Amino acid sequence: MKVPHTVFSTELRGGKGLLKARLGDLLVPGTKRSSRGLPLLVLCLILCLGALVSCRQEAAQPNPDALAETALDQVLEYRDERESWTLLWETTSDGDTVCAFSYDGGPHAAGLGNLLLLAAAGTTGELTGTPVFLSGDQCDAFSWSADDGLHVLCTTVTTYQGVDTCGGGEVVYADGTWTWTWPATPGSPDYERYWADRKGVITLGNLDLYIRGDWDPVTALGTEPQWIYADTKLFQEENPAVGMARAYVSQVLPAEVAGNADFQITDLTLAGAYDDTDTGRTVEAWALTYTYEDWDSGSQAESPEGLYIYLCYPTGNPDPTRTFLLGSSTDADTERAAWRLNHRRYYPLEEEPLPDTDLPFWGFELEDIRAALRDAMNDFAWDFTRFPHKIWFDPVDSGQRREEYLLSTGYEAAREDVMPLFCDWTPQDIPTSEALYHDWPILLLRQGETWTVVDWGDQPLEPQSSPAAD
């Protein structure tokens, strides 16, 4: 049969001599044919192999819905036709794909927001390891990478007849296997015992823990909310200042929010730090946002816009044991709000540039302070043993003294009728700075419209008794 002639074909004819000559042309270096043909052939092979590799990588990309379908078959004995699921997030760990799903089993008994965690091998796109399944009506999951694998912090809540049952913990995915690291493996006695009276809420990548109050699901009129904040468990390294600020958040929340089962901090960021040379204290402003369930509407609600909390500590010594809460404000000028919360008011009381909206946290109006300073100074006028140099109200030290007085007297007086002030004075016959008594506390009680001095401190305010002293 006659074979057609083309420019790309090698015709197998011509005898032994012609074949030997052709092979010589291909193998002997330096000829025109070998210098062009061989590199072109190698280039074509590389391109073909690259295309094959590309096709292989495309084929290994997993389908999250298909993975969920397969995983649910593994972890559930029964599946309802009304089921549905939602992908919460997808990430990678050492080339493997890891997914978190919220799974609605259909009827309430099957869970309306179960948590499903699964992983697919990066080489095949097939499921690897046994998927994690936690039953519940609400779920949350947060992941981060570490040297020992992908860590997932998760929570679930099941609500039945108004009563919450909670669960969750920390699980790690590594080398194709899921391993529970805290508090115990779900279903074990230790796991059930830990979550018997606790609820976990993931906040800023760590876990806020709540304990059950005496809330009555029948009347909903218990003396405490269903859940009360107890502690925060850190799973990642956290800026100590953030943890310190977090500890005071519950003190500025309204009652309907502080005990809310769905309260969650969404952001807590340092907005500014301000030193006060007069008081020797530093005030930090922290921008706070949070969400919670509005019990009246049954929907998610958010914190007031532009909310800040203010922490205070001795300048240069931000020790958590000496840090305390000054208050909160929605004033956009955080420096001004910090000044108002920490600023001493001297007699005569200076005029405020703007009214104290949302302030003061310490429970007195400016007119109360103005009247108390005036009446205390009038008391000096009738006292021929003491010569005053200055007298003031301190928002921190005065509040501390007030609580000490109320505790010692069994809270016989109303809190708003107790006004501790401070003064520098000398004996009347030696009105010089050499005999000056510094930071001397005096106590006034309100009787009608008048503040009356009822007690002089027997000693100056000692540094160690004041959180603001150094």
Side-chain angles (χ1 to χ4, degrees):
M1 182 178 69
K2 185 177 180 180
V3 180
H5 173 79
T6 70
V7 295
F8 299 106
S9 61
T10 300
E11 301 177 20
L12 299 179
R13 59 188 177 84
K16 184 188 300 183
L18 183 58
L19 177 61
K20 184 175 180 180
R22 289 180 180 277
L23 292 176
D25 288 341
L26 290 172
L27 298 177
V28 175
T31 64
K32 183 181 291 185
R33 179 174 295 178
S34 65
S35 63
R36 290 182 179 179
L38 189 58
L40 287 174
L41 179 61
V42 172
L43 179 60
C44 291
L45 289 173
I46 292 175
L47 292 175
C48 292
L49 290 174
L52 291 174
V53 171
S54 177
C55 293
R56 181 180 181 86
Q57 289 175 340
E58 290 292 333
Q61 293 299 317
N63 183 317
D65 282 333
L67 291 173
E69 185 80 38
T70 304
L72 290 169
D73 282 338
Q74 291 187 20
V75 298
L76 296 179
E77 296 181 0
Y78 170 79
R79 295 175 59 181
D80 193 279
E81 62 182 8
R82 295 166 290 179
E83 70 177 7
S84 62
W85 57 82
T86 302
L87 179 66
L88 299 177
W89 47 257
E90 179 181 338
T91 187
T92 59
S93 177
D94 289 336
D96 294 349
T97 298
V98 181
C99 300
F101 293 87
S102 175
Y103 171 71
D104 185 340
H108 186 268
L112 303 179
N114 307 280
L115 178 66
L116 174 67
L117 301 176
L118 57 84
T123 54
T124 64
E126 301 295 328
L127 281 180
T128 178
T130 302
V132 173
F133 187 86
L134 292 179
S135 61
D137 295 327
Q138 301 175 52
C139 67
D140 195 7
F142 176 84
S143 67
W144 68 95
S145 296
D147 293 340
D148 58 344
L150 182 74
H151 292 241
V152 180
L153 182 61
C154 50
T155 61
T156 61
V157 179
T158 301
T159 304
Y160 180 67
Q161 294 185 346
V163 180
D164 293 335
T165 303
C166 308
E170 181 188 34
V171 61
V172 177
Y173 176 76
D175 300 327
T177 303
W178 293 96
T179 304
W180 285 91
T181 59
W182 179 88
T185 303
S188 67
D190 288 342
Y191 180 90
E192 301 296 336
R193 186 163 42 249
Y194 184 85
W195 291 112
D197 291 302
R198 288 187 178 93
K199 174 185 175 70
V201 177
I202 300 175
T203 299
L204 304 180
N206 292 295
L207 194 66
D208 287 343
L209 292 170
Y210 292 75
I211 57 174
R212 196 182 301 274
D214 66 355
W215 178 74
D216 184 354
V218 177
T219 63
L221 295 176
T223 58
E224 294 178 351
Q226 183 173 2
W227 296 103
I228 301 170
Y229 173 80
D231 192 14
T232 296
K233 181 173 177 59
L234 300 180
F235 289 85
Q236 305 175 82
E237 290 187 8
E238 182 179 49
N239 184 331
V242 176
M244 187 169 60
R246 185 210 302 269
Y248 289 98
V249 166
S250 61
Q251 297 185 31
V252 303
L253 298 178
E256 65 272 17
V257 176
N260 196 295
D262 292 303
F263 167 76
Q264 185 171 13
I265 299 174
T266 54
D267 190 38
L268 187 59
T269 306
L270 181 63
Y274 312 102
D275 297 335
D276 189 319
T277 56
D278 190 27
T279 63
R281 296 188 288 255
T282 296
V283 178
E284 291 183 349
W286 289 81
L288 169 67
T289 59
Y290 58 82
T291 60
Y292 65 100
E293 182 181 357
D294 186 344
W295 290 335
D296 293 331
S297 65
S299 59
Q300 285 294 108
E302 297 181 352
S303 54
E305 185 176 354
L307 176 62
Y308 299 89
I309 66 171
Y310 293 84
L311 304 184
C312 187
Y313 53 82
T315 298
N317 186 17
D319 185 338
T321 62
R322 307 189 72 187
T323 301
F324 51 95
L325 177 72
L326 274 184
S328 63
S329 173
T330 55
D331 191 339
D333 189 338
T334 56
E335 183 174 9
R336 178 178 60 191
W339 178 83
R340 288 177 175 174
L341 284 166
N342 188 42
H343 179 61
R344 287 178 176 173
R345 270 72 176 181
Y346 288 91
Y347 176 84
L349 185 66
E350 67 272 26
E351 294 296 330
E352 295 288 318
L354 290 172
D356 273 6
T357 56
D358 298 333
L359 301 174
F361 180 71
W362 13 267
F364 292 117
E365 300 296 333
L366 289 175
E367 285 306 315
D368 293 334
I369 301 170
R370 192 189 310 275
L373 288 171
R374 182 192 62 242
D375 292 347
M377 187 59 70
N378 289 338
D379 190 77
F380 270 106
W382 294 95
D383 190 331
F384 298 104
T385 64
R386 301 181 178 94
F387 179 83
H389 290 259
K390 56 183 176 179
I391 183 170
W392 68 90
F393 170 87
D394 186 286
V396 175
D397 294 337
S398 294
Q400 179 191 13
R401 284 287 181 173
R402 178 176 59 176
E403 296 306 311
E404 292 174 354
Y405 173 81
L406 290 171
L407 183 62
S408 66
T409 59
Y411 294 86
E412 295 175 356
R415 181 174 275 102
E416 63 271 16
D417 292 333
V418 179
M419 176 73 73
L421 300 177
F422 297 86
C423 62
D424 290 347
W425 64 280
T426 57
Q428 187 72 23
D429 55 343
I430 317 176
T432 66
S433 60
E434 296 178 359
L436 184 66
Y437 289 88
H438 291 280
D439 298 344
W440 196 271
I442 58 177
L443 182 72
L444 296 86
L445 294 181
R446 178 159 41 194
Q447 300 172 344
E449 299 297 325
T450 305
W451 290 92
T452 303
V453 175
V454 295
D455 187 33
W456 279 76
D458 56 357
Q459 59 181 0
L461 190 65
E462 295 295 336
Q464 63 270 20
S465 66
S466 168
D470 209 354

